[in-house]
Amino acid sequence: MTEINNKFLEPYIENDSTDKKIEEDKQASPLSRRGFLRTAAVTGGAALAGSTMPARAAQMDHSAMQDKGYNTMMFMEGHSMKPGQIIEPPGSPSDTEVDYKVFDIDVQIVEHEILPGVKLHMFAFNGQVPGPEFHLTEGDWVKINFTNRTEEMHTIHWHGIVLPYTMDGVPMVNQDPVHPGDTFVYRFQAKPSGTRWYHCHWSTPLHAATAMHGAFIIHRKNEPLKKRFPYTRDYTMMLEAWDIDFAREEMNGLLEGMKEVNILMAQGKLDYKTHGFFKDYMEFKKSIESGEYVAPYLQSRSSGVVVKPNYFAINGKSYPATKRIGIKQGEWIRVRLINASGLSHHMHLHGHDFWWVAQDGNDLAEPRHLNTIHVEPGGTYDVMVYGDNPGFWAWHDHKTTQVRNNGIYPGGMLTVLAYEDFEPTYIPSVSIDQ
């Protein structure tokens, strides 16, 4: 297996003589969802469980799957739900047809420290927040064995990557959610080049926005941007916004209910409709009209909880726990901004203009000279910074209500661009309550 390393806000330095490697820095409301799962435990029912590729691409072997094909397992009578299944969908070449770079990634529950005194249990890829940072070369074939080590269900969506639809990670559209203890094998080619990312697409407001996200960087073999901007260091800034009260209550509710649900599913005592799955829209509609199913979004069931982020972060940390970005005089650096939150962020760099060179992984026809860039939810934005003004310079969200820790300024989405090769006349310290 190709190894993964743990590095965040550590620069990726391109080496054209070697292959790029992966590097690792190892909403339903909570009340409605908890009530929903408890209802499932009480009512019980029937046993149910659950690109453009070369024409020569081989189908995966499904002989280990009960239905001998690749249809959903959610509606199969007597599905065992036994942990340890390996699901290999069709759509990509087999191991004998292409040379895959192979990675193992899992999801587990960890206690993550946002800053001193503030810890939160999160679903996390490989036990870290954010997840492992991939660095690959355009055209690489990638095989990722994703194992679910929690009692909740998950998927991985490869955001901005062109791949077979069976690998896209949207539950019940492209694949079944990955059940506890199971492994889903994603196979695809790393394309197109640019700053991409990945996140869970199951219960997205909790799983993806809280911690289940990471950078997926696809480099060109000959990077054209280097001709104009000969950068020597490459940083990633993943932007995050967390409502820790919502996250705690939602996760506790999910885990409490899912323990009961997983037992009932294994025993064949849970009806798939109770768990919110339907074979098609008409089955869903008829179940609502007949009163057989009471939707969790109705006023009678949902508390209508509003998510209000109170901690804002860069790469899993809130200021002053954020890492500085290093630069030297006369040096170009590349910074990749990835918005994993559901909010807009307005990232302003003091003391410099920078060049905005790419959006959503794609190079701009004409780079733009800015000092504030508007980073929208789900988007990626690449900027080039030139070291021509030695000092220590704030880089922060200019929506300053998002530069706070639980309402206290300064904090949140703030870091410092720090020159490494000058003698300061004023040395920065730390202020956490202004």
Side-chain angles (χ1 to χ4, degrees):
M1 300 293 178
T2 304
E3 293 185 357
I4 308 177
N5 301 314
N6 294 337
K7 293 186 179 179
F8 274 104
L9 262 189
E10 292 290 337
Y12 171 81
I13 302 175
E14 186 173 16
N15 185 340
D16 293 330
S17 65
T18 60
D19 289 336
K20 303 300 181 299
K21 295 181 179 180
I22 182 176
E23 294 192 3
E24 167 193 48
D25 238 321
K26 273 203 191 351
Q27 179 151 98
S29 74
L31 293 179
S32 66
R33 183 67 182 274
R34 181 184 293 115
F36 164 61
L37 294 173
R38 283 179 175 166
T39 300
V42 172
T43 59
L48 297 150
S51 132
T52 304
M53 301 302 300
R56 65 179 181 83
Q59 297 249 326
M60 298 297 103
D61 178 12
H62 300 107
S63 58
M65 295 176 64
Q66 284 181 279
D67 61 349
K68 308 293 187 186
Y70 193 64
N71 297 312
T72 180
M73 294 182 289
M74 289 297 182
F75 314 122
M76 290 172 53
E77 294 287 343
H79 182 59
S80 68
M81 288 298 298
K82 184 178 180 180
Q85 295 182 104
I86 299 176
I87 299 97
E88 298 196 42
S92 292
S94 68
D95 287 349
T96 60
E97 292 181 282
V98 298
D99 184 17
Y100 281 103
K101 293 187 174 182
V102 183
F103 306 102
D104 292 328
I105 190 169
D106 66 17
V107 58
Q108 51 192 274
I109 296 175
V110 300
E111 185 179 54
H112 175 68
E113 183 179 85
I114 300 172
L115 73 168
V118 182
K119 294 182 179 180
L120 182 66
H121 283 95
M122 295 180 172
F123 294 118
F125 287 117
N126 283 17
Q128 64 183 71
V129 183
E133 183 168 313
F134 289 80
H135 284 273
L136 296 155
T137 300
E138 188 173 28
D140 285 346
W141 284 95
V142 185
K143 176 180 176 180
I144 300 168
N145 302 308
F146 170 53
T147 301
N148 182 0
R149 303 191 190 281
T150 76
E151 293 179 291
E152 170 67 323
M153 293 186 284
H154 304 280
T155 68
I156 303 180
H157 168 59
W158 308 94
H159 190 112
I161 298 173
V162 178
L163 37 56
Y165 88 98
T166 52
M167 309 292 173
D168 196 49
V170 180
M172 310 314 292
V173 175
N174 313 125
Q175 68 169 87
D176 287 0
V178 182
H179 288 283
D182 286 353
T183 297
F184 191 95
V185 182
Y186 292 97
R187 303 173 191 247
F188 55 88
Q189 195 169 24
K191 64 178 185 180
S193 63
T195 304
R196 315 289 169 174
W197 63 297
Y198 64 99
H199 59 82
C200 182
H201 222 290
W202 175 269
S203 192
T204 309
L206 175 65
H207 298 198
T210 302
M212 286 186 69
H213 50 246
F216 199 97
I217 312 301
I218 304 175
H219 300 269
R220 294 184 182 180
K221 292 180 180 178
N222 296 298
E223 177 55 72
L225 284 171
K226 277 201 165 184
K227 295 177 182 178
R228 181 170 178 181
F229 309 100
Y231 60 93
T232 54
R233 284 190 272 186
D234 192 335
Y235 294 95
T236 299
M237 292 172 62
M238 185 150 277
L239 310 181
E240 299 148 326
W242 297 323
D243 180 338
I244 64 172
D245 297 320
F246 165 80
R248 283 173 177 152
E249 187 172 0
E250 179 81 346
M251 181 175 284
N252 287 337
L254 287 176
L255 294 176
E256 178 185 341
M258 283 304 298
K259 286 180 181 178
E260 299 173 355
V261 167
N262 289 329
I263 291 171
L264 290 169
M265 291 180 79
Q267 294 176 346
K269 297 179 180 179
L270 181 68
D271 187 281
Y272 64 89
K273 295 177 185 177
T274 309
H275 204 173
F277 293 103
F278 298 89
K279 294 178 180 178
D280 53 34
Y281 176 74
M282 288 308 299
E283 182 181 65
F284 165 67
K285 188 171 184 290
K286 289 178 181 178
S287 297
I288 294 289
E289 291 173 346
S290 68
E292 177 186 5
Y293 181 73
V294 181
Y297 52 75
L298 297 177
Q299 290 291 92
S300 59
R301 290 193 61 190
S302 174
S303 64
V305 65
V306 177
V307 180
K308 296 180 179 179
N310 53 349
Y311 286 89
F312 306 89
I314 300 172
N315 288 347
K317 297 292 184 179
S318 298
Y319 180 83
T322 50
K323 288 187 178 180
R324 293 177 175 180
I325 299 172
I327 194 170
K328 294 180 180 179
Q329 297 179 70
E331 180 185 19
W332 283 99
I333 64 171
R334 180 173 188 161
V335 181
R336 303 170 188 266
L337 302 159
I338 303 175
N339 190 349
S341 84
L343 304 173
S344 296
H345 303 290
H346 312 276
M347 300 304 293
H348 170 58
L349 175 60
H350 291 211
H352 299 73
D353 280 340
F354 49 72
W355 290 94
W356 174 25
V357 297
Q359 181 175 356
D360 290 339
N362 305 305
D363 294 352
L364 300 182
E366 290 294 334
R368 295 183 57 187
H369 214 198
L370 307 168
N371 57 53
T372 305
I373 189 166
H374 307 292
V375 185
E376 298 302 321
T380 73
Y381 300 73
D382 294 25
V383 301
M384 303 289 188
V385 182
Y386 184 65
D388 61 358
N389 191 8
F392 297 98
W393 301 102
W395 200 342
H396 64 91
D397 189 343
H398 218 290
K399 186 174 182 181
T400 51
T401 54
Q402 297 174 171
V403 188
R404 301 185 299 168
N405 295 324
N406 202 25
I408 304 301
Y409 178 91
M413 204 169 286
L414 166 65
T415 187
V416 172
L417 179 71
Y419 279 76
E420 301 168 341
D421 59 347
F422 86 111
E423 291 296 329
T425 54
Y426 182 85
I427 300 174
S429 56
V430 173
S431 170
I432 59 170
D433 188 0
Q434 298 177 12

